[in-house]
Amino acid sequence: MIGAPVITIDGPSGSGKGTVSRLVARALGWHLLDSGALYRLTGLAGALAGLAPGDEEAHARAALAMDVRFGADAAGEPTVLLDGRDVTQAIRTEAAGERASQVASFKAVRHALLERQRRFAEPPGLVADGRDMGSVIFPSAPLKVFLTASVEERAARRFRQLKSAGINAILAAVTADIASRDARDSGRAVAPLVAAADAVTLDTTRLDAESAARQILARAAERGLDRPGSGFRPL
Ligand code: DC
């Protein structure tokens, strides 16, 4: 049972989903679900418990059992606690991303995380960021968005992010990594990355996050999702 309106924002890594989802959620005054973080947390919980990376059932049990708290620090930046431990940075490493992609291909893990994700749909509304938000988790969402961007642009964004975090990277390697993660996320048997049939596709190759968010908010307004009481604040 979904208790509030949901806007789903799906797309591949580097399409700008994270930033755009945050802007849309803030403008509407709605909750935000970063579903990728749940896969990253499952991978990390498995690693911390010493699980074999290929052990599907054990990872599904870990996904069900983990205590996850999303919050914000004093500066308003998002924080994540796993079983009481601050893992905000630990889930963002390349290794955590790799492990997340692996556990995300397990049917039992996806099933274990299904209800946990649906529980985020609370009043006044939810912006759900992921790969299968519109296709599987919230199929009746009144607005579904699929963000895309060229592999080259997404790799360039990731490369800039790594450099600004002081991490040495080679653009060609980052591009190859993004392409192989795309192939795994799109090619897996369970809930592959795919635009829902009724999703609005937005190409962000030449669009900044603010402009993409404005376009989504305009669609939300067309559907009456910004009416008074929804907490809407224009960007
Ligand atoms: O968006 P992200 O990089 O934090 O996601 C981490 C991994 O989890 C990525 O390989 C895709 C996967 N994922 C998924 O399969 N389904 C989702 N709804 C969200 C993320």
Side-chain angles (χ1 to χ4, degrees):
M1 174 70 192
I2 296 170
V6 179
I7 296 176
T8 60
I9 304 184
D10 290 304
S13 321
S15 58
K17 281 176 300 122
T19 311
V20 171
S21 298
R22 267 198 302 281
L23 288 172
V24 172
R26 198 190 310 151
L28 289 170
W30 286 10
H31 301 284
L32 177 66
L33 166 61
D34 171 5
S35 62
L38 292 175
Y39 290 96
R40 288 171 179 269
L41 285 159
T42 304
L44 182 63
L48 291 172
L51 303 183
D55 191 336
E56 175 164 352
E57 291 306 322
H59 278 91
R61 284 194 295 277
L64 277 178
M66 63 188 182
D67 174 27
V68 176
R69 305 280 158 100
F70 290 105
D73 64 15
E77 291 301 314
T79 56
V80 190
L81 299 185
L82 171 63
D83 297 326
R85 165 177 178 174
D86 187 341
V87 295
T88 311
Q89 307 297 332
I91 60 165
R92 296 293 155 202
T93 65
E94 290 299 285
E98 261 308 298
R99 189 137 180 166
S101 172
Q102 197 165 14
V103 302
S105 69
F106 294 150
K107 187 175 180 181
V109 167
R110 304 201 74 87
H111 184 72
L113 291 176
L114 187 90
E115 282 309 318
R116 194 191 275 265
Q117 293 175 88
R118 288 187 176 154
R119 283 199 295 273
F120 279 81
E122 294 221 323
L126 175 70
V127 176
D129 155 2
R131 304 291 194 290
D132 63 341
M133 297 295 99
S135 54
V136 176
I137 308 296
F138 300 109
S140 58
L143 175 58
K144 299 178 185 177
V145 179
F146 193 78
L147 289 188
T148 59
S150 68
V151 172
E152 292 73 22
E153 173 60 22
R154 291 187 287 121
R157 287 174 189 167
R158 181 78 191 127
F159 181 68
R160 283 196 296 272
Q161 254 176 14
L162 290 169
K163 272 184 76 172
S164 71
I167 299 167
N168 252 334
I170 298 165
L171 182 58
V174 175
T175 310
D177 183 51
I178 291 230
S180 82
R181 205 167 293 177
D182 277 2
R184 182 164 345 154
D185 291 340
S186 306
R188 66 177 175 232
V190 202
L193 170 64
V194 61
D198 50 350
V200 176
T201 297
L202 213 55
D203 187 331
T204 68
T205 306
R206 286 184 192 77
L207 202 62
D208 64 21
E210 287 256 334
S211 310
R214 275 181 214 285
Q215 291 200 23
I216 294 170
L217 288 165
R219 302 280 185 155
E222 281 166 19
R223 289 162 170 76
L225 295 170
D226 62 338
R227 38 176 194 267
S230 69
F232 178 74
R233 281 192 286 129
L235 277 179

